[in-house]
Amino acid sequence: MSDLSRFDGVFTALITPFTASGEIDWNAFDALIDRQLAAGITGLVPVGTTGEAATLSSAEAEAVIAHTVERAKGKAYILAGTGSNSTEKTVAATRRATDLGVDGVLLVTPYYNKPSQQGLINHFSAVADATTADVVLYSVPGRAGVEIAPATAGTLAQRHLNVVAIKEAGGDPARVTDLRTAAPGLAVHCGDDGLALAFYALGACGLTSVFSNYDPEICVALYNAWNAGDRTRALDIHEALRDIADAMFIENSPAPVKYIMSSRGLNGTAVRMPLAEVSEPARNMLDQHMVEFKTRREGLAFA
C-alpha cells in the first residue's frame, strides 16, 4: 500500500474572494493563502465548490490554480477542483491543472445528470487516465444528487494507481467504515467540519474544511489534539466549533463563511450569481454564533 501521509491533516477548501465590482480580489486571496500556511494547514483546495468553481470562467479558474501553485507549491499540498458534469470538460480542466503543477485534482461527482455507478466508474476512469496527478474523488450527494458507492470507490482505486483518496461529504460518519472496508487503499477525508472528530475516530486521515478559511488554527488544533491522543482537548475543541461550523451552511456556501470573514476585514461578502449574500435573518444568527464561538474559543487557552 502506498504512503498517503500527504493527506494527513487539514486541507482548506479556499473561497475565491471578489471585489465589489465582481473581479477576483488577488490581494485578499494572497492574504488568505498566507494565513493558511502560517497556521499549519496541510493542503489548499482552489476552485472547489467553496471557491465557486461553477461560476468562474475557465480562464479565471486556471488563474486561481496557477496563483495558488506559485504562492504555495512546496509549502502545502495543492489540490485543484477540476470536476464538472461533463467528462470531456473535466478531462480538459484536469490536464490544464496538471500542466500548471498541482499535486492532485479533486473530482466531484457529475451533477444534474446523476450518472449510475457504472457511469461514475467510466467518468472517473477517463479522468484518471488523463493525468499523472493524484486523483481525489468527491462524494457530495446534497449538491450533486448522487453519491459514490464504496464498491465504486474500491473499483476505481484498484484500476488506477493515481486514484488515492476520497472526500466524503454526505454527512454520515458510517461511510468511513464502508469506504475503508471496500476501498482500503484510499485515504478518506471528512468534508464536513462539524463531523471531523467523528470521522477521525472512525479512521479518516484528514479534513477538507470550509471553516478553516476563517479560523485555520482551531481546525488544525482539533486534528493535532486527536492525532496526539489528547481526546479531552479534541472533544473540547469540537464542542467549541461545532455550532459555528454547522452554521456555515445556514444558507448556500460560501456566502456564510464569506460573511463571517468580512467581520474580521479578511475579504468582502460578494458571491457570484446565482448565489446571493446571506439574508438579514441569517446574518443575525451568524452574529450570535460568532459571539458564542469567540467565548468558547477563549476558554481553550490558545496561544
Side-chain angles (χ1 to χ4, degrees):
M1 189 176 297
S2 61
D3 178 14
L4 298 177
S5 60
R6 57 194 179 277
F7 295 104
D8 293 351
V10 180
F11 286 31
T12 297
L14 296 168
I15 65 164
T16 304
F18 298 120
T19 65
S21 61
E23 303 300 316
I24 295 173
D25 187 337
W26 293 110
N27 289 332
F29 191 63
D30 284 343
L32 172 63
I33 290 175
D34 292 347
R35 286 180 55 242
Q36 305 303 312
L37 297 176
I41 287 291
T42 300
L44 299 173
V45 187
V47 297
T49 305
T50 307
E52 299 177 70
T55 53
L56 296 178
S57 69
S58 295
E60 286 176 323
E62 289 181 33
V64 171
I65 292 169
H67 202 88
T68 307
V69 169
E70 180 179 0
R71 197 165 189 89
K73 179 78 170 181
K75 301 174 184 177
Y77 184 101
I78 311 299
L79 178 66
T82 59
S84 74
N85 64 344
S86 162
T87 302
E88 182 179 359
K89 291 179 181 178
T90 301
V91 166
T94 297
R95 285 176 171 157
R96 289 193 294 268
T98 303
D99 290 342
L100 289 170
V102 301
D103 298 298
V105 292
L106 180 66
L107 304 180
V108 69
T109 49
Y111 39 86
Y112 186 73
N113 41 30
K114 297 173 63 175
S116 66
Q117 293 302 307
Q118 185 58 56
L120 291 179
I121 290 170
N122 297 344
H123 171 79
F124 289 127
S125 291
V127 183
D129 286 339
T131 182
T132 55
D134 289 341
V135 170
V136 180
L137 309 175
Y138 181 12
S139 184
V140 57
R143 281 187 179 267
V146 61
E147 70 177 14
I148 300 172
T152 297
T155 296
L156 289 163
Q158 289 173 357
R159 291 184 182 179
H160 305 279
L161 293 177
N162 59 337
V163 176
V164 292
I166 183 167
K167 176 185 174 184
E168 171 54 43
D172 181 7
R175 283 265 296 178
V176 179
T177 300
D178 296 338
L179 287 164
R180 282 168 55 83
T181 300
L186 285 184
V188 179
H189 256 228
C190 177
D192 299 285
D193 283 283
L195 295 176
L197 185 57
F199 268 64
Y200 296 155
L202 289 168
C205 68
L207 165 71
T208 301
S209 173
V210 172
F211 189 65
S212 58
N213 282 280
Y214 174 80
D215 192 342
E217 292 86 1
I218 198 170
C219 298
V220 171
L222 173 58
Y223 173 81
N224 286 343
W226 172 263
N227 198 45
D230 190 344
R231 306 300 187 245
T232 299
R233 182 161 176 78
L235 189 58
D236 287 344
I237 296 171
H238 162 76
E239 291 173 349
L241 66 77
R242 185 197 62 175
D243 289 347
I244 187 64
D246 288 348
M248 294 304 92
F249 298 90
I250 193 171
E251 290 183 356
N252 282 350
S253 181
V257 73
K258 282 189 169 182
Y259 173 75
I260 66 168
M261 291 174 72
S262 72
S263 71
R264 289 180 57 184
L266 299 174
N267 55 256
T269 58
V271 291
R272 286 268 175 95
M273 291 192 294
L275 293 182
E277 296 181 21
V278 289
S279 63
E280 183 176 355
R283 291 197 300 271
N284 292 337
M285 292 183 69
L286 287 166
D287 290 342
Q288 182 59 42
H289 280 304
M290 287 301 300
V291 171
E292 295 169 354
F293 170 69
K294 289 176 182 177
T295 300
R296 292 171 179 170
R297 194 186 193 284
E298 289 171 359
L300 294 171
F302 278 88

